[in-house]
Amino acid sequence: MRSNDELAEIGQLVSDRLRDAVATQPPTRRQNATARSDDGDVTVTVDARGFLAHVQFGSGMAELTAEELERELLDTLRSAQQALVPARPAGSAAAALHDDTVARRLREVFERRMREAKGDEA
């Protein structure tokens, strides 16, 4: 029965973390985001899903090689996509959903159950 109590505790931990994360989420996600390359040669706008909506090139783009233009375009696109997602401070409730505490606890419980089932109680 001890394992069932532990599983219930883990379930409660997950439930509490989800509740806290939802409670601290910003009300809505941005509708779109725009980013500009450092040199201003590329400006990218993405829609709410992060898909490319608009690209504007500055006059300096003619000076760039194909590889430089590709790198600037993709870096600027990533910056615009990242601007859609609100920052999650390391100690936030939403960030806590991404640690491995629950996975480690479940692994401990199941490994112990396997040992007990084999008669190798530790």
Side-chain angles (χ1 to χ4, degrees):
M1 275 305 184
R2 185 177 76 203
S3 292
N4 290 336
D5 292 341
E6 290 173 322
L7 292 176
E9 287 175 23
I10 294 169
Q12 187 61 50
L13 173 66
V14 171
S15 178
D16 291 346
R17 284 187 173 187
L18 286 172
R19 183 196 64 239
D20 293 346
V22 168
T24 60
Q25 281 294 96
T28 57
R29 187 174 166 151
R30 295 176 63 168
Q31 293 301 308
N32 61 38
T34 300
R36 184 182 316 269
S37 63
D38 291 337
D39 59 12
D41 287 333
V42 179
T43 303
V44 172
T45 300
V46 295
D47 66 14
R49 298 172 298 165
F51 294 138
L52 185 63
H54 182 74
V55 177
Q56 182 177 351
F57 296 104
S59 60
M61 79 163 255
E63 313 273 324
L64 301 174
T65 66
E67 291 82 18
E68 291 169 332
L69 181 59
E70 176 186 22
R71 186 173 39 253
E72 274 198 43
L73 178 60
L74 291 176
D75 288 348
T76 307
L77 174 61
R78 278 188 214 97
S79 294
Q81 290 169 332
Q82 289 171 352
L84 288 174
V85 181
R88 294 182 177 156
S92 74
L97 293 174
H98 300 284
D99 74 13
D100 66 346
T101 303
V102 171
R104 282 186 290 119
R105 291 275 293 127
L106 284 171
R107 188 171 36 253
E108 290 168 6
V109 169
F110 291 131
E111 285 174 354
R112 189 179 60 257
R113 279 187 170 188
M114 294 299 293
R115 285 192 307 271
E116 290 171 356
K118 291 179 181 179
D120 300 335
E121 205 166 319

